């Protein structure tokens, strides 16, 4: 799929050719400093109005010739659609100014009879990285091209490496998220809970993941608040519950084990009227029972809106869900209110667990929480267990579950059955 220097100007066409070339390169480890450049001619439609179809064909032919001169053997020139081209070159664009040369080459006036036609262009550039799927690279370059088009004739936009998501403005992240929700860029990972001995239990927590073509993997701590602000969390949250339940039904069926999944629920979802009916319907439609599902609600959310949350949690408990107070001990003092809630389980926040056994204050709080949980007959999970020393210290509390990198990282669904078999 490569055009040699000066080759006949008939590049392979379409997205498939570009994806195949990228795949071949990535599989062969020919990534190095390689760059993907997407180029688009501006104003092709108005040129067509002026000079007709034949004139446009002449321009496109000339553009192909000029671009073919820029690529070497083993590189790629493909026509995505009339007037839009993909180039893959082995050089690093930043030092070579490859995109500048390509834009300049095709923006030069083209003689058509007496007239000189001028059709300026834009480029979106992205570095090819090992470990990034071809479709994601193409998507990144497309986004860069769209930004460049908005920047006026001749503008070039680069996505060199995955951008640091903290450097992205909220408004941009929000618009990327809207698209993500529509285009299926979200997925779930599952983290197993273990006994302090390290033996896995049959409980998992579903955790939302977003891999943006433009930004790479973005932390839920960054994007969940934006989903909440924009209200998108309603649809995304419902998708999370459905996806986790479909997966749970499949595991229960194939493994024959009484697996449970915990799903995080945002306060924005909880404030939706009729949320308990929606949640029940989703669970049943996915072939599950509400009693197999834990709903995790953060302590902060409950404390902020005490009376409304209490009614909502009661309704969810009555519908059969088990309720977990998440991030317990993260800085709110709801100990007094706890007894008034129909929660079944506490998840102790990782900031508390990070302090044991060395920090006597935090160790003291953990002991107090355990005593309280016992008095209220609540199950407890310790979150963020990262060291054997922490697990050993926690083993003094019979029945406590551990969730943390020491025993298990969040895993894609395909890797979960192996863990569950070890538990069952
Ligand atoms: P969370 O519900 O408290 O989830 C536990 C977080 O701790 C997860 O972070 C998990 O990957 C991380 N973790 C697990 N073990 C360890 C460990 O040993 N050390 C450390 N330092 N961290 C550990 P993650 O996946 O980044 O999620 C962050 C938060 O985003 C979640 O905290 C939850 O509040 C929110 N979130 C995730 N998925 C969803 C979702 O589907 N819906 C809603 N509303 N929120 C979600
Ligand atoms: Mg949670
Ligand atoms: Mg938590």
């Amino acid at each position: 799929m490569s055009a040699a220097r000066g080759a006949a100007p008939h590049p392979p066409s379409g997205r498939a050719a570009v994806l195949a070339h990228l795949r071949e390169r990535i599989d062969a480890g020919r990534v190095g400093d390689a760059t993907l450049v997407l180029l688009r001619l501006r104003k092709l439609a108005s040129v067509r109005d002026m000079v007709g179809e034949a004139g446009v064909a002449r321009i496109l032919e000339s553009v192909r010739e000029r671009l073919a001169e820029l690529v070497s053997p083993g590189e790629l020139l493909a026509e995505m659609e009339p007037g839009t081209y993909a180039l893959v070159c082995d050089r690093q664009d930043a030092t070579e100014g490859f995109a500048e040369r390509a834009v300049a080459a095709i923006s030069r006036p083209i003689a058509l009879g007496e007239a000189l036609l001028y059709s300026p262009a834009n480029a979106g550039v992205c570095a090819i990285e090992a470990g990034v799927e071809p479709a994601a690279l193409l998507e990144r370059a497309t986004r860069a091209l769209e930004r460049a088009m908005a920047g006026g004739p001749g503008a070039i936009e680069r996505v060199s490496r995955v951008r640091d998501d903290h450097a992205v403005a909220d408004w941009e992240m929000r618009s990327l998220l809207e698209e993500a929700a529509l285009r299926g860029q979200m997925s779930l990972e599952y983290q197993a809970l273990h006994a302090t001995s390290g033996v896995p239990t049959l409980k998992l927590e579903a955790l939302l993941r977003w891999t943006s073509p433009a930004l790479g993997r973005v932390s839920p701590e960054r994007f969940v608040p934006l989903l909440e602000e924009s209200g998108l969390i309603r649809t995304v949250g419902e998708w999370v519950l459905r996806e986790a339940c479909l997966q749970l039904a499949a595991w229960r069926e194939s493994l024959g084990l009484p697996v449970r999944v915990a799903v995080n629920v945002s306060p924005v979802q909880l404030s939706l009227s009729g949320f308990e009916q929606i949640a029940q319907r989703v669970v049943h439609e996915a072939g599950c029972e509400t009693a197999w599902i834990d709903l995790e609600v953060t302590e902060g959310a409950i404390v902020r809106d005490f009376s409304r949350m209490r009614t909502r949690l009661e309704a969810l408990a009555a519908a059969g869900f088990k309720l977990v107070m998440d991030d317990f001990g993260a800085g709110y003092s709801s100990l007094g209110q706890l007894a008034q809630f129909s929660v079944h389980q506490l998840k102790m926040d990782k900031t508390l667990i990070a302090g044991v056994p060395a920090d006597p204050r935090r160790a003291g709080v953990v002991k107090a929480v355990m005593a309280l949980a016992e008095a209220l007959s609540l199950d407890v999970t310790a979150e963020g267990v990262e060291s054997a020393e922490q697990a050993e210290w926690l083993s003094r509390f019979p029945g406590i579950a551990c969730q943390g990198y020491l025993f298990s990282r969040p895993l894609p669904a395909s890797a979960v059955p192996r863990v569950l078999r070890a538990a069952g």
Side-chain angles (χ1 to χ4, degrees):
M1 292 289 180
S2 313
R5 185 185 295 277
H10 293 294
S13 57
R15 188 183 149 82
V18 182
L19 292 177
H21 179 92
L22 290 171
R23 162 70 44 221
E24 205 182 301
R25 230 170 222 279
I26 291 168
D27 289 351
R30 284 194 304 123
V31 175
D33 287 333
T35 304
L36 169 64
V37 180
L38 286 188
L39 291 154
R40 182 170 295 155
L41 293 175
R42 299 175 73 92
K43 298 202 251 169
L44 210 51
S46 48
V47 171
R48 182 175 283 115
D49 290 343
M50 272 187 323
V51 298
E53 213 52 63
V56 167
R58 172 71 196 96
I59 290 176
L60 294 181
E61 193 187 322
S62 161
V63 164
R64 280 184 216 118
E65 278 168 11
R66 293 175 184 182
L67 289 178
E69 281 174 17
L70 292 174
V71 292
S72 305
E75 297 182 335
L76 175 86
L77 163 61
E79 187 163 354
M80 306 274 292
E81 59 188 70
T84 303
Y85 305 87
L87 290 154
V88 178
C89 71
D90 287 314
R91 287 145 289 171
Q92 201 174 12
D93 166 77
T95 48
E96 299 274 329
F98 182 76
E100 276 80 0
R101 283 191 291 126
V103 166
I106 65 177
S107 302
R108 276 202 320 269
I110 293 164
L112 192 71
E114 299 285 279
L116 271 184
L117 287 177
Y118 177 70
S119 186
N122 288 98
V125 184
C126 111
I128 297 174
E129 284 175 67
V132 182
E133 283 299 301
L137 290 169
L138 194 53
E139 178 90 26
R140 266 187 214 173
T142 305
R143 289 208 137 270
L145 177 61
E146 283 163 3
R147 286 200 303 275
M149 297 293 287
I156 297 171
E157 279 282 335
R158 293 184 164 78
V159 199
S160 50
R161 294 268 170 248
V162 168
R163 282 192 288 163
D164 175 3
D165 60 48
H166 294 289
V168 177
D170 284 359
W171 67 266
E172 186 181 355
M173 179 86 74
R174 237 179 260 125
S175 87
L176 292 173
L177 271 169
E178 262 167 43
E179 200 178 302
L182 294 174
R183 290 206 192 173
Q185 292 163 8
M186 304 235 166
S187 63
L188 296 183
E189 284 189 336
Y190 299 86
Q191 188 176 26
L193 273 60
H194 293 247
T196 49
S197 63
V199 174
T201 70
L202 289 170
K203 287 187 179 183
L204 303 157
E205 179 176 5
L207 294 162
L208 182 58
R209 299 292 176 247
W210 173 35
T211 305
S212 150
L215 305 174
R217 195 157 145 150
V218 184
S219 159
E221 289 182 345
R222 174 79 166 96
F223 72 79
V224 167
L226 296 174
L227 288 175
E228 289 174 336
E229 271 170 37
S230 63
L232 272 173
I233 192 70
R234 295 174 192 177
T235 35
V236 173
E238 192 175 319
W239 175 83
V240 169
L241 183 61
R242 181 174 301 109
E243 182 70 16
C245 288
L246 287 168
Q247 192 56 73
L248 176 63
W251 285 328
R252 281 194 165 231
E253 164 97 22
S254 63
L255 302 169
L257 295 169
V259 186
R260 308 182 58 81
V261 168
V263 173
N264 292 285
V265 179
S266 152
V268 177
Q269 290 173 275
L270 285 178
S271 65
L272 268 179
S273 72
F275 176 73
E276 58 274 12
Q277 282 92 1
I278 298 172
Q280 280 184 84
R281 179 175 50 73
V282 169
V283 169
H284 291 146
E285 281 172 4
C288 289
E289 291 175 21
T290 49
W292 307 346
I293 311 294
D294 296 338
L295 297 179
E296 298 197 0
V297 186
T298 60
E299 183 197 13
I302 297 181
V303 175
R304 273 196 302 275
D305 196 359
F306 183 72
S307 55
R308 189 144 60 130
M309 286 298 164
R310 186 165 60 177
T311 318
R312 185 42 52 79
L313 294 183
E314 273 165 11
L316 286 166
F321 291 102
K322 291 275 175 283
L323 303 175
V324 181
M325 196 179 272
D326 202 356
D327 304 339
F328 191 74
Y332 301 90
S333 52
S334 57
L335 297 190
Q337 297 168 331
L338 190 59
Q340 303 180 43
F341 277 112
S342 38
V343 295
H344 305 93
Q345 206 192 106
L346 297 181
K347 262 202 185 181
M348 250 187 294
D349 193 62
K350 34 184 183 286
T351 52
L352 277 184
I353 304 305
V356 301
D359 174 354
R361 286 174 64 95
R362 278 183 284 182
V365 175
V366 172
K367 285 181 193 160
V369 169
M370 293 309 296
L372 180 78
E374 196 183 343
L376 297 173
S377 305
L378 304 176
D379 290 335
V380 180
T381 300
E383 213 173 55
V385 178
E386 294 183 353
S387 71
E389 214 187 356
Q390 289 170 330
E392 159 66 25
W393 189 84
L394 290 166
S395 69
R396 70 181 63 198
F397 307 112
I400 192 170
C402 298
Q403 184 176 354
Y405 299 159
L406 173 66
F407 298 128
S408 191
R409 296 221 161 226
L411 299 167
S414 60
V416 168
R418 198 177 42 81
V419 178
L420 292 176
R421 280 194 201 97

